[in-house]
Amino acid sequence: DYVTVNDIAEKVYPVSCTVINEEESKKIQNKVPIHLYYATKHNKLKLVVRYISSTQQDINEIATIIVKELMKNPKERGLYNVIPYGTKLRKPVKVQNNTAYVDLSEEFIKNHKGGKEGEKITIFAIVNSLTELKDINRVNFKINGKALKEYKGNFRFDKDFPRYTQNIQQL
């Protein structure tokens, strides 16, 4: 028995691709993507891809850039920054044993409006953005250099947070 073209064609599957023009290509040349999660008005997280200079190859530097980017207002309509106003990253993010250590200023707690859904969105915007990096599986938060027992009353805050995808808006 011979194999026919139809036999082969049945087993061929299309691949995904994105076509970009030359202008878009120049914008992302020598850059690497970072994945950021911002809030929607429905308390979901939505993925946004940004490109940063590829000279930042160190995992600590890239993780630090991600947190700093999340502190800015998103450029996309309908998305919201969930990190409370005035929050500062006290020192660069440190990654050890697949855990990112994030030390934030007290405004991260003081200026948060609270509520279980609001707290969850804030925490997991950071956690899910950082765990997009292959070398990070968990995130550990400190406030002014100290571990706190809870975050605004609804979440234990003295343990590492793993990735949580239930609140990500699907395309």
Side-chain angles (χ1 to χ4, degrees), residues 51-70:
Y51 292 87
I52 60 169
S53 171
S54 63
T55 58
Q56 283 97 7
Q57 295 298 325
D58 177 76
I59 185 79
N60 298 306
E61 287 179 50
I62 294 172
T64 299
I65 289 168
I66 287 172
V67 175
K68 286 181 176 179
E69 283 295 314
L70 286 171

Side-chain angles (χ1 to χ4, degrees), residues 28 36 55 65 80 95 105 108 139 143-144 147 153 157-158 168 171:
I28 64 171
L36 306 171
T55 58
I65 289 168
Y80 306 93
V95 179
S105 64
F108 187 70
V139 176
I143 303 299
N144 287 340
F157 210 56
D158 56 356
I168 295 175
L171 301 175

